Amino acid sequence: MSDTPARNVLFVVMDTVRKDHLSCYGYERETTPGLEAFAEEAAVYEQAVAPAPWTLPSHASMFTGRYPGEHDATQENPYLEGHPTLAQSLEGHRSSCYSSNAWITPYTHLTDGFDSQDNFFEVMPGDVLSGPLARAWKTMNDNERLRQAADWLVNLGNEIHEYLASGEGADSKTPAVIDRTIEFIDSTEEPYFSFINLMDAHLPYHPPDEHKELFAPGVDSTQVCQNSKEYNSGARDIGEAEWTSIRGLYDAEIHHVDAQLHRLFEWMRVNDEWEDTLVVVCADHGELHGEHGLYGHEFAVYDPIVNVPLMVKHPELDAGRYEKQVELQDLYHTVLDHAGAEGKGLPLDPERSLLSDDYRAFDGGENAFVEYHRPVVELNQLENKASAAGIDLDEDSRFYSRMRAVRRPAGKYIHNERIADEAYRLDSDPDEIENVRGGEDPVIEDLESALREFERERDDWGAVEGEEVLSEMGDDAKQRLEDLGYID
C-alpha cells in the first residue's frame, strides 16, 4: 500500500467510447488533442478490459472491485445492494458524482456514499430517481411476475427518449457536468473524490455544430439510423455511406468530450489542483458500428466493446505506454491505495493496485474476465422493433444469450448460453474474424480451462421470465418509470 497521506481523486468515465477512435491511441482523425497532451504525463494502458459491455455492471465493478457475477448489478437485478461503494470507503474525502447517465442515480445505489450527487439526464432530474420510484422499480424486478410490466414501461420510456433526444432539442449536458465539478472542487477544503460520467458518445449522436462540422460536415443527424435495435433486429439496413456518417457523428461527440475534459484539466492546473491528484480517465465500455453485424454495445463481448481506453496520472506511475493487461475493477484498489483507505467492502488488495510493483502477481493474474447477463431492456426493445417489421427473432441466438469471456492480449474465449462458444487469437486476428474454437491451440485451450475454473465459482444461469402485466400502480409512478427508459 502507498504510504502517502490521503490525496485527491478525479475519476472520469467517457461513456461508450471505443479505444480505436481516440487519436491518443493512434486513430488517424484528431478526435482527442486534449487527451494527447494528458497522455504525455500519464500511464496509457493498451490492454484494459471492462468487466461488462454496458454501464450498470461496469460501474458497479469499478465502485466495488467485484465482478458482475459477484455484485449482481445487472438488468436482471438493476441495482447494487450489499456491497459498499468506493465513495463509502473514502470517509476522509469529500465526494461528488455528476453525470447525465440515468443508471448512475440513487435508484441503482451507484451514488451511495457520495456527499454531493446530481444527474443531468435530460428527461428526468436525478432527485426523483429515489424514494417511491426506487422502491417501485425494485418491487417490479424482485417479482418475476412483474418483470414483463417493467419491460413494457421501460420500452415506452425509450420511445419518449428517442423523441426528445432529437437533434433540435438535445443539448449536451457535459459542459454542465464539468462546471459543477469545478464548483465542487473549488469549494472543497478536504481531500476530494470527484467522479464524472460523460455521455456524449452514447447513442443518439447529436454533436454540437462546431464539432460536427469538423468530423461530419453536412450530415443531418436526424436522418441517419440512431436506433441500434432497428438495425440489430433486421428491421433497418445501413449502407457504407450511412456508416461513414454515423462514425463521423460519433467522432464529433468524442471531440466534444475531449474539449470539455481539457477545460477541466486546465482549470485544475491553473488552480493548483493537479500535481498530487490521481486522475483516471477510462471508458466503461465501447461500441460496435457494424462489426459482426451489430450496432451498439448489446449482445456481444467483442473487443471494440470490452478493450477500452484507460489513462492514469499519478506521481508514482511513470508516463508511457503499458501492454500489461488491466481489469477496470482494479481501479477500485488503485484509488484505495492512493487514498490510504482499506475499503469498507472488499478489502484493499495491493496486487490489484496499479500503484503496486506486484500488480497482478497473483495466480491467474494474466486473465481478465467479462460477464454479460440477459439484457432485459434491450431485448424487449429489439423484440418490439422486430415485431413491428414482421420479423421473428430466433430465441436460440445471441440476442437471448448470456455470455462469459476470458481474455488475454493473445486470445479470447467466449462461453455463450444459447449459441456455440467462440475463440479468437487476438495477436494474429485482432478483429475477431476467425473462430478457432475446436482447434489444437494451446493458448485457446488454456483460456477455456481458465474460464471453466472462473465459472465454477458462479451461479448457474437461471430463467428470466415475466408472465403478467402489472395492473395496480399509480399513474405518477408509471410515468416516472417510463422516463427511465433512455437506453438505446
Side-chain angles (χ1 to χ4, degrees):
M1 182 193 304
S2 173
D3 57 5
T4 55
R7 292 178 296 182
N8 301 328
V9 179
L10 174 66
F11 198 135
V12 178
V13 171
M14 304 180 295
D15 207 289
T16 324
V17 168
R18 54 188 283 173
K19 187 182 73 173
D20 62 357
H21 276 247
L22 305 183
S23 54
C24 59
Y25 275 93
Y27 188 43
E28 65 272 13
R29 307 181 85 180
E30 194 177 22
T31 53
T32 54
L35 287 177
E36 286 178 47
F38 175 67
E40 293 178 1
E41 54 183 317
V44 180
Y45 295 92
E46 300 282 354
Q47 305 292 340
V49 180
W54 69 285
T55 293
L56 176 62
S58 189
H59 280 75
S61 290
M62 290 187 283
F63 284 2
T64 67
R66 300 179 184 275
Y67 291 104
E70 295 171 332
H71 60 63
D72 202 31
T74 72
Q75 278 193 27
E76 296 176 25
N77 182 69
Y79 30 78
L80 178 67
E81 291 186 304
H83 300 288
T85 65
L86 190 53
Q88 290 171 314
S89 293
L90 300 184
E91 292 181 303
H93 287 60
R94 285 278 298 165
S95 57
S96 66
C97 177
Y98 304 131
S99 80
S100 53
N101 189 317
W103 289 110
I104 307 174
T105 56
Y107 99 96
T108 63
H109 298 294
L110 286 183
T111 60
D112 287 0
F114 284 101
D115 298 308
S116 177
Q117 75 85 25
D118 201 354
N119 186 280
F120 293 79
F121 179 43
E122 65 189 3
V123 178
M124 187 193 323
D127 59 1
V128 303
L129 296 173
S130 57
L133 173 60
R135 290 192 293 272
W137 181 267
K138 184 178 188 303
T139 297
M140 293 176 77
N141 281 277
D142 278 348
N143 188 324
E144 289 189 358
R145 296 190 308 156
L146 303 183
R147 284 190 190 277
Q148 184 173 336
D151 296 348
W152 177 73
L153 290 171
V154 165
N155 185 70
L156 289 182
N158 273 279
E159 298 299 325
I160 293 172
H161 176 67
E162 188 176 335
Y163 175 76
L164 292 177
S166 67
E168 296 181 359
D171 294 329
S172 169
K173 303 303 182 287
T174 291
V177 171
I178 298 299
D179 289 344
R180 189 69 177 274
T181 301
I182 289 174
E183 291 171 6
F184 171 81
I185 293 174
D186 196 34
S187 65
T188 302
E189 296 297 329
E190 305 97 318
Y192 57 81
F193 169 39
S194 185
F195 176 85
I196 58 177
N197 173 289
L198 306 178
M199 278 285 286
D200 299 68
H202 191 291
L203 281 166
Y205 310 139
H206 298 295
D209 286 343
E210 62 183 290
H211 302 279
K212 183 172 78 71
E213 288 308 307
L214 292 173
F215 295 93
V219 174
D220 183 346
S221 63
T222 67
Q223 297 303 307
V224 301
C225 183
Q226 296 274 13
N227 188 301
S228 62
K229 285 75 181 177
E230 289 183 346
Y231 175 79
N232 292 333
S233 68
R236 172 81 146 81
D237 190 29
I238 299 177
E240 189 51 43
E242 188 173 4
W243 278 126
T244 298
S245 296
I246 289 169
R247 293 174 191 134
L249 294 169
Y250 180 74
D251 289 346
E253 295 281 27
I254 292 173
H255 191 259
H256 180 228
V257 168
D258 179 80
Q260 291 298 312
L261 280 180
H262 183 67
R263 178 167 71 91
L264 172 59
F265 293 170
E266 286 302 296
W267 180 89
M268 293 177 69
R269 289 186 179 97
V270 169
N271 289 274
D272 298 323
E273 298 287 355
W274 189 251
E275 292 302 323
D276 291 331
T277 299
L278 166 64
V279 180
V280 175
V281 179
C282 67
D284 56 343
H285 57 81
E287 190 85 324
L288 290 171
H289 288 143
E291 299 91 344
H292 304 279
L294 294 169
Y295 186 13
H297 49 271
E298 302 92 13
F299 316 123
V301 291
Y302 296 117
D303 258 23
I305 307 177
V306 300
N307 178 206
V308 295
L310 171 63
M311 292 166 275
V312 180
K313 181 196 75 71
H314 189 275
E316 296 176 19
L317 278 176
D318 293 332
R321 301 275 165 167
Y322 290 77
E323 292 291 338
K324 189 177 184 66
Q325 187 164 264
V326 175
E327 290 188 293
L328 285 191
Q329 56 265 44
D330 292 348
L331 295 173
Y332 167 88
H333 298 278
T334 304
V335 172
L336 290 179
D337 192 0
H338 166 78
E342 287 293 338
K344 278 193 168 184
L346 194 66
L348 167 64
D349 182 349
E351 289 186 327
R352 282 188 174 269
S353 168
L354 291 169
L355 309 182
S356 172
D357 293 335
D358 296 323
Y359 177 63
R360 298 191 75 85
F362 54 86
D363 186 32
E366 69 276 15
N367 299 314
F369 297 97
V370 182
E371 296 184 281
Y372 185 39
H373 293 71
R374 184 72 55 78
V376 178
V377 176
E378 280 77 11
L379 187 55
N380 179 264
Q381 297 171 57
L382 188 81
E383 290 172 333
N384 284 339
K385 294 295 183 184
S387 177
I391 296 171
D392 292 324
L393 296 176
D394 182 2
E395 293 195 6
D396 289 323
S397 68
R398 68 171 48 257
F399 303 127
Y400 293 84
S401 181
R402 283 170 279 198
M403 303 172 184
R404 293 190 180 111
V406 58
R407 184 193 187 277
R408 297 176 191 168
K412 180 192 291 181
Y413 191 94
I414 305 170
H415 176 206
N416 296 302
E417 182 186 25
R418 298 197 176 197
I419 59 176
D421 288 0
E422 301 168 74
Y424 302 97
R425 282 301 301 259
L426 299 177
D427 49 2
S428 58
D429 180 25
D431 294 329
E432 298 164 287
I433 301 300
E434 183 183 0
N435 183 358
V436 295
R437 175 180 176 264
E440 296 182 359
D441 187 316
V443 170
I444 299 303
E445 290 174 356
D446 199 26
L447 285 166
E448 182 179 7
S449 177
L451 183 59
R452 299 306 181 197
E453 181 66 28
F454 178 80
E455 290 190 306
R456 275 194 279 272
E457 302 175 0
R458 297 290 177 273
D459 293 334
D460 291 337
W461 284 321
V464 181
E465 299 176 355
E467 300 173 357
E468 296 183 5
V469 175
L470 181 66
S471 60
E472 295 182 4
M473 182 179 236
D475 290 340
D476 183 58
K478 287 182 179 180
Q479 181 63 53
R480 291 179 177 181
L481 279 171
E482 290 172 7
D483 292 341
L484 283 178
Y486 85 106
I487 307 169
D488 241 348

